[in-house]
């Protein structure tokens, strides 16, 4: 079983509606936040190493670190082979700053996109723009409803009810 499969089986066995599950996820998110604080301190220094080395560097349990890698993978310039990675697989944490910020907003992880380290990377105005862009990208805008007696949008000149509205 791959490390990612082990992480997912382990993590998702903790129901966040139970007291034990809440404790687990709060603990995981706190560790995740600590790693983000560290990598955001030096955003232009790409970090790389084996999965085991990086887990030790950031003081995380190996499986927890695999969960972290799963979360950041979509924000990396070159995604890691997370599906088949093992302890000795070399991975990189070279992230795209704006993409990472937007993905944190998409995940509704205010404890991450609200980190003070972002202020040294992105201006408050840019943070606001990225926040709005991300929120807009998930907003569904319905086109105006066509009334039965309105002209048909296909351009036939007939009323909608006599043309495409049948």
């Amino acid at each position: 079983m791959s490390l990612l499969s082990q992480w997912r089986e382990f993590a998702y066995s903790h129901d966040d509606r139970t007291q034990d599950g809440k404790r687990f996820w709060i603990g995981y998110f706190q560790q995740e936040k600590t790693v983000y604080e560290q990598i955001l301190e030096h955003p232009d220094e790409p970090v790389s190493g084996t999965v085991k080395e990086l887990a030790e560097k950031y003081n995380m349990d190996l499986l927890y670190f695999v969960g972290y890698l799963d979360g950041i993978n979509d924000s990396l310039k070159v995604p890691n082979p997370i599906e088949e990675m093992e302890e000795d697989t070399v991975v990189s944490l070279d992230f795209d700053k704006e993409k990472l910020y937007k993905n944190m907003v998409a995940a509704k992880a205010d404890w991450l996109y609200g980190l003070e380290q972002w202020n040294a990377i992105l201006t408050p105005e840019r943070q606001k723009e990225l926040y709005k862009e991300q929120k807009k990208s998930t907003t569904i805008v319905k086109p105006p409803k066509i009334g039965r007696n309105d002209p048909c949008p296909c351009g036939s000149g007939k009323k909608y009810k006599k043309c495409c509205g049948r």
Side-chain angles (χ1 to χ4, degrees):
M1 182 184 284
S2 74
L3 285 175
L4 184 63
S5 299
Q6 289 176 43
W7 159 252
R8 288 180 176 165
E9 185 176 305
F10 170 69
Y12 298 117
S13 69
H14 292 87
D15 185 350
D16 65 354
R17 294 171 294 188
T18 67
Q19 204 60 26
D20 179 52
K22 286 178 184 174
R23 260 193 309 276
F24 167 77
W25 285 108
I26 287 170
Y28 169 75
F29 290 141
Q30 185 56 49
Q31 290 184 45
E32 179 186 50
K33 178 181 175 184
T34 303
V35 177
Y36 276 117
E37 287 171 336
Q38 292 176 44
I39 68 167
L40 291 174
E41 282 293 325
H42 308 286
D44 297 320
E45 292 177 21
V47 177
S48 66
T50 66
V51 176
K52 187 175 182 178
E53 290 169 349
L54 293 177
E56 290 170 1
K57 177 180 178 173
Y58 294 112
N59 297 319
M60 283 183 92
D61 177 80
L62 183 69
L63 275 185
Y64 280 53
F65 191 71
V66 170
Y68 172 81
L69 290 172
D70 186 21
I72 196 173
N73 207 47
D74 289 339
S75 304
L76 299 176
K77 292 176 181 173
V78 178
N80 290 314
I82 60 170
E83 294 292 335
E84 60 268 351
M85 74 183 164
E86 299 297 329
E87 288 183 20
D88 59 349
T89 304
V90 176
V91 294
S92 170
L93 300 180
D94 189 15
F95 59 94
D96 178 315
K97 298 171 191 87
E98 292 189 353
K99 194 172 185 182
L100 178 61
Y101 188 84
K102 287 171 86 171
N103 286 340
M104 288 175 171
V105 171
K108 299 179 182 163
D110 56 343
W111 65 94
L112 296 177
Y113 68 79
L115 290 171
E116 67 179 50
Q117 286 84 348
W118 281 114
N119 296 330
I121 300 169
L122 302 169
T123 65
E125 295 80 24
R126 185 65 184 143
Q127 289 178 43
K128 201 175 284 186
E129 287 172 19
L130 292 171
Y131 183 90
K132 286 181 180 177
E133 280 177 29
Q134 178 56 41
K135 290 297 184 182
K136 268 188 183 174
S137 72
T138 58
T139 303
I140 299 170
V141 179
K142 292 184 179 179
K145 189 172 182 202
I146 303 165
R148 289 176 33 81
N149 292 315
D150 292 341
C152 191
C154 75
S156 67
K158 297 179 181 179
K159 288 184 178 185
Y160 180 68
K161 67 181 179 187
K162 295 283 187 178
C163 189
C164 295
R166 290 185 181 194

